[in-house]
Amino acid sequence: MSAQLKAGPAVGAGTGRALRVRASAAVVVAVLGAVLLVPLLFPLDEQAVDMANKLQAPSLAHPFGTDDVGRDVLLRCVYGMRVSLLVGVVAALTATVIGTAVGAAAGAAGGRADRMVMRLVDVFSSVPHLLLGIFIVAMFRPGVWPVVASVGLTHWLSTARIVRAEVLSLRSRDFIDAAVSGGASRWRVAVRHLLPGVLPRAGLAAVLMVPHAIWHESALSFLGLGLPTHRASLGNMIQSARGTLLAGDWWPTLFPGLFLIVPTLAIASLAGVWRERINPRRRSELML
Amino acid sequence: MSRKSDTVRPLLRVRELSVRFGMRGGRDIAAVSDVSFDLAAGECLALVGESGCGKSVLVSALLGLLPANARTSGSALLHRPTHDGGPGPAGQDEPLDLLAADEATLARTVRGRRVGLVPQSPAAHLTPVRTVRSQLAETVRELKGLRGKELAEATRAAAGRAAFPADHLDRYPHQLSGGLAQRAATALALVGDAPLLLADEPTTGLDRDLVERTVDELRAHTGEARGLLLITHDLAAAERIADRVAVMYAGRVVEVAAAGDFFGGPGPRHPYARGLLAALPERDFTPIPGMPPELGRLPDGCAFASRCTRASAACARLPAPDGGVACHHPVTTGRPACRHREGSTV
Amino acid sequence: MTGTALPALELDSVTAGYQRRAPVLRDVSLTVAAGESVGLLGPSGCGKSTLAKVAALLHRPYAGTVRLGGEPAGGWRHRAPRAQRTAVGVVFQQPRLAADPRLTLAALIAEPLRATGRGAQATERVAQLAQAVGLGDDLLARRPHEVSDGQLQRACVARALALRPRVLVCDEMTAMLDASTTAALVAVVEDYRQRSGAALLAVGHDRALLERWCDRTVALGAVAGPRDGTELRSVPRAPADRSAG
């Protein structure tokens, strides 16, 4: 080796992304820490009002200000995030389990069963899922679980499609033939060769769905169909702050809005990194 | 057989080209080490070696397509071809170092225009959702700046040059046979009249007839004005069209020889090259024992020593290239171990 | 050829393909005796890979019979009795597609043993097979993306031999490989065939390779195929070639 080695041209390209990933991770960790720790330190009485302190602008005592009945916006934001995350995660998991089961069954069965299931998925997809979600929550009394059901039961369609496509593509690979030839049972092929290939994608779909589900929860609450109005949820907070915004009091709307947007973007950004892990560009011959 | 003469300035002059990949944990992979060769206009140089020997990394380095964790050293000077033997106008004659050029230069003035790539798998190289005509037209428009009627005409001509049938232009890649897909990819590579053609394993997975037709066509396109660097593990394809052969092993070029000498009477001089040739089914059909070393864990000395019957204590030292062969114990006699090839095959 | 025993592999008037109206194989018959090696030559698209899959009971033909050791195939893919399925070992053209990307090479080779309830012998048998195909412990611990095509194909050959098949089907086994690795893998297969008396069906397009490798080669024509239902044209290996090894 004579001369010193020159760095490849693209060496600096990754730093901006690395920063974004780090910032996203920090946001997610901070939010998780807040929703887990704050309720232990600062219990919230959801029914309490303090009319003497209503609509205070942000200050040291109330960094995010107070709302139209004198409640601390920061504390309610954290509690709201807690509810939103719970709804988002449980709904996303529900949707993923249903979607994976339907997609894997359709892909593995193939033929007429596959066609029938996928037509059914098409029919479901043709109905706007917010409308379907409203229909589901309307059947129950307001609460967390109807919202979870409403989001979870309407969002498995895309996961089912992704998982089915993945199963179909894996099924045609020679290694499945090799497994069959090597004496593997149907069950073994499904559990050992098909499922592990599908799970990363299903998991990714689940993570990507968490922000989406949080938005849905907020949308339903904003429409007055979600959680009971006294519950601290981001959607409820934005909804009840509508009147104050017109009067020029911006904080009861802005902060819950930021709590909705920033963590969901951070989750989506981390999911994007994961997606690249699953789908690496073809490695060069020598990267082996 | 060799058309290269030392007085002619080469089209491509590669000197001590090395590529290292930095891996996690600070480990380095020596993908390509100290590779030097020249390629003249009108010449076909075949770079042969087993998969994982660094051939494809070398191509990526020449095209500036290495991943971010790669570091290069050495030089790869691309000269402008001298027309009619006369020197080009001054100022335009500066060679371009492909390793030092920035991405913008490579993208705008080199790839497609001065270096054409015939890819390994044409099916993957072509966009599946567009017809051959639209892809070819886009390349012609991009490289030649033609529009309208002229563009349509030039597109047909470009297809014709690679013997791609005009009545198949409106087909999608998946509607083409392997041979036609290969011609479509070749047509794309030829559009820019690049003086240097790089063909990276252009015949992988093709039938013997198709292999022969593909490499014959590549050779025909080389003509007098172009240089062809054919990267392949198919020795029969190399024998068919190459003027010279460079054998790569564990990231190094261990032998460069005239193709006639290499495949014919005298035979290769490096023991690895001899072993590779002897493994052909037309010859001894005996493998070289063992496997090539890991590129992340190369020995200090000759990388082939552990598999070599001629190895001695001297092989603990890295052999310097000498007269086209890098070996402490090159074969100097004729080819006692190899039978003559039966003419019935290939 | 043996003559007395029943042929290890028999394809009788097989018609197969992916569209019933346009099968790629029509009325093809082929017999491979125990201990015999047959090279099946044909251009790409002639249906030779389909024939390999039919022979390995991995693809159900539209018509015709496949017999293993004289016994008609009981079904295809999972419907084939496990003993019949595992009696045929298969090696595919592209090792990258034929290897589960999540398994280490050791797990890949052991997979047929584990799938058939012989996991207990796996360690010992994998060590034997790895030695036969020339894979060291270091490579066995790696996953497919960490090894070269040649090394991965060695593992795939070891996997095909794991259950000691009576018939080995190699579909373009060496198309992606260099001359030395090709010769090495053919030597592994031939060594197994000689020791076990298994039959070999080597499918490919490289005439020089198959004529050197196999006892005889047969040619599979273009898609139309032999309509008269005759045995494929058989070209026995020239005696001069035979002595040359």
Side-chain angles (χ1 to χ4, degrees):
Chain A
M1 286 306 323
S2 49
Q4 86 278 24
L5 294 156
K6 290 188 285 274
V11 79
T15 48
R17 216 192 54 169
L19 205 67
R20 209 181 66 217
V21 169
R22 236 170 267 173
S24 301
V27 167
V28 170
V29 169
V31 166
L32 282 180
V35 301
L36 292 177
L37 292 179
V38 168
L40 298 179
L41 305 175
F42 306 99
L44 175 74
D45 180 357
E46 295 201 308
Q47 310 279 4
V49 292
D50 180 5
M51 295 310 278
N53 278 323
K54 73 172 189 172
L55 287 175
Q56 299 278 312
S59 64
L60 275 180
H62 302 287
F64 286 10
T66 61
D67 67 4
D68 56 347
V69 285
R71 296 174 294 199
D72 183 68
V73 173
L74 174 57
L75 200 57
R76 279 183 71 84
C77 275
V78 172
Y79 273 81
M81 193 69 231
R82 194 170 137 95
V83 173
S84 292
L85 264 183
L86 177 75
V87 171
V89 169
V90 177
L93 281 180
T94 311
T96 304
V97 168
I98 298 174
T100 306
V102 172
R112 198 172 296 162
D114 175 37
R115 278 196 298 277
M116 268 173 54
V117 170
M118 292 329 280
R119 281 304 81 76
L120 206 65
V121 168
D122 288 343
V123 169
F124 264 104
S125 307
S126 65
V127 183
H129 57 233
L130 186 58
L131 207 64
L132 208 60
I134 289 172
F135 183 74
I136 294 173
V137 281
M139 296 195 302
F140 301 93
R141 281 202 293 173
V144 170
W145 299 112
V147 174
V148 167
S150 149
V151 179
L153 293 180
T154 53
H155 283 71
W156 53 271
L157 303 163
S158 60
T159 309
R161 282 212 186 89
I162 293 169
V163 167
R164 169 183 172 267
E166 189 69 17
V167 167
L168 284 183
S169 125
L170 285 175
R171 235 168 55 120
S172 66
R173 300 275 277 280
D174 285 342
F175 73 78
I176 300 297
D177 275 358
V180 175
S181 173
S185 62
R186 274 174 213 276
W187 175 249
R188 193 174 170 89
V189 168
V191 170
R192 188 150 166 88
H193 300 291
L194 289 177
L195 211 55
V198 164
L199 280 183
R201 251 162 229 276
L204 175 63
V207 174
L208 279 170
M209 208 182 296
V210 170
H212 189 93
I214 290 176
W215 283 74
H216 257 277
E217 178 276 319
S218 299
L220 287 172
S221 298
F222 183 79
L223 292 173
L225 294 164
L227 303 178
T229 43
H230 67 272
R231 284 295 296 272
S233 106
L234 296 174
N236 274 345
M237 290 171 72
I238 297 171
Q239 200 271 342
S240 64
R242 266 188 315 173
T244 64
L245 183 64
L246 291 175
D249 302 323
W250 46 269
W251 55 92
T253 312
L254 176 73
F255 291 112
L258 286 180
F259 257 76
L260 187 59
I261 293 166
V262 175
T264 51
L265 284 184
I267 295 173
S269 161
L270 290 182
V273 175
W274 187 8
R275 191 204 320 255
E276 273 178 38
R277 282 268 167 84
I278 298 175
N279 273 336
R281 270 160 289 167
R282 207 184 123 66
R283 293 177 177 218
S284 87
E285 172 196 346
L286 246 282
M287 303 286 287
L288 302 176
Chain B
M1 185 79 185
S2 168
R3 302 181 195 178
K4 181 187 167 277
S5 98
D6 292 333
T7 55
V8 176
R9 195 189 57 190
L11 203 57
L12 178 68
R13 181 186 292 253
V14 175
R15 285 294 173 272
E16 297 191 335
L17 169 58
S18 298
V19 181
R20 296 282 175 277
F21 288 106
M23 302 302 276
R24 258 173 292 174
R27 208 156 57 90
D28 255 9
I29 290 196
V32 176
S33 299
D34 293 327
V35 167
S36 301
F37 63 85
D38 287 346
L39 178 65
E43 186 186 39
C44 170
L45 173 65
L47 189 60
V48 302
E50 52 209 295
S51 85
C53 75
K55 304 183 303 260
S56 293
V57 174
L58 184 63
V59 174
S60 301
L62 292 179
L63 288 166
L65 294 175
L66 289 171
N69 65 336
R71 301 186 312 277
T72 59
S73 68
S75 65
L77 298 182
L78 180 65
H79 290 268
R80 295 207 179 267
T82 47
H83 294 291
D84 311 319
Q92 280 197 7
D93 224 28
E94 278 296 295
L96 175 76
D97 187 350
L98 294 172
L99 300 184
D102 56 273
E103 173 59 27
T105 312
L106 290 170
R108 261 187 249 121
T109 68
V110 176
R111 290 184 212 126
R113 291 177 167 86
R114 293 180 68 181
V115 183
L117 175 70
V118 182
Q120 174 163 12
S121 82
H125 191 70
L126 300 167
T127 310
V129 295
R130 292 174 53 199
T131 63
V132 174
R133 186 192 301 279
S134 92
Q135 296 184 50
L136 205 49
E138 184 189 28
T139 309
V140 173
R141 190 167 53 228
E142 184 65 29
L143 295 179
K144 297 274 179 79
L146 299 176
R147 294 284 183 281
K149 235 181 201 155
E150 280 180 307
L151 175 63
E153 192 47 51
T155 303
R156 262 194 301 279
R161 275 205 294 174
F164 187 88
D167 58 341
H168 282 56
L169 272 172
D170 289 313
R171 298 203 178 186
Y172 291 89
H174 68 88
Q175 295 170 318
L176 300 175
S177 67
L180 284 186
Q182 185 60 57
R183 283 186 194 178
T186 308
L188 282 170
L190 291 175
V191 166
D193 284 319
L196 174 62
L197 277 184
L198 297 183
D200 184 7
E201 301 274 9
T203 60
T204 301
L206 298 184
D207 292 349
R208 184 50 50 192
D209 294 350
L210 218 46
V211 167
E212 294 182 355
R213 218 163 61 206
T214 302
V215 295
D216 286 353
E217 283 167 9
L218 283 173
R219 173 81 241 196
H221 293 308
T222 310
E224 286 303 307
R226 284 205 181 97
L228 171 64
L229 181 58
L230 172 70
I231 282 90
T232 187
H233 69 256
D234 186 337
L235 294 167
E239 176 173 13
R240 199 170 167 90
I241 63 161
D243 299 312
R244 285 189 304 144
V245 181
V247 182
M248 214 165 160
Y249 183 76
R252 287 177 189 275
V253 170
V254 294
E255 178 167 359
V256 184
D261 294 344
F262 188 86
F263 292 107
R269 289 188 292 155
H270 195 283
Y272 170 67
R274 278 189 101 74
L276 204 55
L277 220 49
L280 283 174
E282 298 91 334
R283 303 197 181 199
D284 294 350
F285 206 30
T286 46
I288 305 167
M291 277 193 283
E294 300 282 321
L295 292 167
R297 262 171 261 160
L298 289 178
D300 294 332
C302 172
F304 187 63
S306 61
R307 303 171 73 184
C308 186
T309 50
R310 305 170 77 90
S312 70
C315 301
R317 215 162 26 82
L318 197 64
D322 179 20
V325 59
C327 179
H328 292 298
H329 311 289
V331 181
T332 47
T333 56
R335 307 166 41 204
C338 300
R339 296 180 305 124
H340 279 284
R341 311 179 49 191
E342 288 109 305
S344 60
T345 54
V346 180
Chain C
M1 268 130 267
T2 48
T4 51
L6 287 162
L9 172 68
E10 226 180 330
L11 279 78
D12 192 2
S13 307
V14 165
T15 297
Y18 304 91
Q19 289 166 295
R20 195 175 272 277
R21 294 216 182 106
V24 288
L25 293 172
R26 270 180 212 274
D27 218 3
V28 172
S29 300
L30 175 71
T31 305
V32 186
E36 189 190 18
S37 61
V38 174
L40 182 71
L41 268 170
S44 60
C46 75
K48 55 189 192 300
S49 287
T50 309
L51 189 138
K53 284 198 171 154
V54 171
L57 311 186
L58 290 170
H59 184 87
R60 186 160 62 95
Y62 296 128
T65 323
V66 174
R67 287 185 211 95
L68 294 170
E71 198 181 320
W76 310 95
R77 298 189 72 86
H78 286 296
R79 294 213 175 85
R82 185 182 266 174
Q84 279 194 333
R85 256 192 281 159
T86 55
V88 187
V90 203
V91 185
F92 297 92
Q93 173 175 1
Q94 294 192 40
R96 300 261 158 236
L97 300 183
D100 188 331
R102 279 161 294 276
L103 301 184
T104 62
L105 298 201
L108 185 87
I109 298 171
E111 184 58 20
L113 296 162
R114 300 227 168 87
T116 51
R118 275 169 263 190
Q121 331 162 5
T123 321
E124 192 192 344
R125 183 92 179 104
V126 168
Q128 271 174 22
L129 291 161
Q131 207 207 343
V133 297
L135 289 174
D137 287 348
D138 175 39
L139 288 168
L140 285 176
R142 298 201 198 166
R143 283 169 216 282
H145 70 271
E146 297 167 312
V147 302
S148 72
D149 278 1
Q151 291 163 339
L152 193 54
Q153 192 67 301
R154 284 171 194 258
C156 289
V157 170
R159 173 180 64 185
L161 300 180
L163 297 178
R164 300 191 172 86
R166 295 195 303 278
V167 178
L168 198 58
V169 177
C170 299
D171 181 9
E172 297 268 19
M173 175 177 82
T174 61
M176 316 289 286
L177 307 177
D178 63 278
S180 177
T181 311
T182 297
L185 282 183
V186 167
V188 170
V189 167
E190 283 304 286
D191 181 54
Y192 172 74
R193 193 170 67 84
Q194 248 121 53
R195 278 189 294 107
S196 68
L200 168 74
L201 179 63
V203 176
H205 62 251
D206 189 337
R207 181 175 291 275
L209 172 68
L210 292 188
E211 284 182 348
R212 182 71 189 263
W213 178 0
C214 302
D215 296 328
R216 65 186 172 106
T217 57
V218 294
L220 191 58
V223 177
R227 292 304 309 267
D228 53 354
T230 48
E231 164 82 354
L232 289 164
R233 189 165 54 85
S234 175
V235 187
R237 190 162 69 171
D241 271 348
R242 195 183 274 279
S243 62

